[in-house]
């Protein structure tokens, strides 16, 4: 069986996910750049939830961060590990659904990024996510978040 390959970016710069659940940006935005910079200063691992092919994970690794990349699709994580090259020594990957199937030791994480993930969660999942994030982060740790409005045309199929 052939290993999955990363799709080409569309004209708008978005790279479709293998599982058709969304897109990965092809470059860092201002918010994910702040996560990359902060994660490089953390003594504890940083977590990238919804890492996809590594648009944020790879630059964080390049800056010396230890990153735990989390994604729903094992194929995304296979591609990410291949793309990490020698920086992969500081990379751990977890194929899991957030927040239900993901857990860490309390106080064991220095930073968490959820870029364009939380808008997929239901209200009870948001509450569970907030509780888990609060527990996982060490004192001085930071949570970085970007979310889309559910009223964008491309998210219409997710609105009940």
């Amino acid at each position: 069986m052939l290993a999955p390959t990363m799709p080409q970016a569309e004209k708008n710069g978005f790279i479709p996910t293998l599982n058709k659940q969304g897109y990965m940006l092809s470059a860092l935005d201002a918010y994910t750049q702040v996560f990359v910079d902060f994660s490089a200063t953390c003594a504890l691992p940083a977590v990238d939830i919804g890492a996809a092919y590594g648009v944020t994970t790879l630059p964080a690794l390049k800056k010396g961060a230890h990153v735990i990349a989390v994604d729903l699709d094992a194929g995304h994580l296979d591609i990410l590990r291949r793309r990490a090259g020698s920086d992969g020594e500081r990379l751990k990957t977890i194929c899991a659904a957030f927040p239900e199937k993901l857990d860490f030791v309390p106080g064991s994480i220095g930073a968490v990024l959820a870029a364009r993930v939380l808008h997929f969660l239901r209200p009870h999942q948001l509450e569970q996510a907030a509780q888990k994030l609060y527990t996982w982060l060490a004192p001085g740790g930071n949570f970085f978040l970007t979310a889309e409005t559910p009223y964008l045309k491309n998210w219409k199929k997710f609105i009940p």
Side-chain angles (χ1 to χ4, degrees):
M1 185 169 157
L2 293 175
T5 58
M6 189 169 91
Q8 293 295 313
E10 295 178 350
K11 289 179 184 176
N12 60 10
F14 293 161
I15 303 169
T17 58
L18 299 175
N19 59 14
K20 310 279 189 253
Q21 292 294 307
Y23 297 86
M24 182 184 84
L25 297 180
S26 55
L28 295 174
D29 61 25
Y31 303 102
T32 52
Q33 181 64 60
V34 173
F35 168 79
V36 166
D37 294 341
F38 183 81
S39 66
T41 69
C42 291
L44 295 170
V47 177
D48 184 0
I49 298 173
Y53 313 111
V55 69
T56 306
T57 297
L58 295 172
L61 291 169
K62 283 274 184 233
K63 283 195 138 196
H66 289 260
V67 182
I68 302 168
V70 179
D71 202 273
L72 286 172
D73 194 299
H76 297 161
L77 297 173
D78 289 343
I79 292 167
L80 171 54
R81 283 190 295 273
R82 286 196 310 271
R83 294 181 72 210
S86 62
D87 290 327
E89 296 171 3
R90 292 184 315 284
L91 173 65
K92 178 180 178 182
T93 59
I94 299 174
C95 186
F98 173 72
E100 297 90 348
K101 303 289 183 183
L102 186 63
D103 224 341
F104 296 104
V105 173
S108 66
I109 302 298
V112 177
L113 170 68
R116 294 163 190 83
V117 171
L118 297 186
H119 53 270
F120 289 108
L121 303 184
R122 304 250 182 247
H124 75 278
Q125 292 173 309
L126 284 170
E127 289 178 21
Q128 183 183 17
Q131 291 170 348
K132 284 188 170 193
L133 291 164
Y134 179 78
T135 302
W136 298 340
L137 284 169
N142 284 327
F143 173 53
F144 299 84
L145 157 73
T146 61
E148 303 286 345
T149 174
Y151 299 104
L152 288 173
K153 184 178 178 181
N154 57 314
W155 302 121
K156 187 176 181 176
K157 66 183 176 181
F158 292 101
I159 299 173

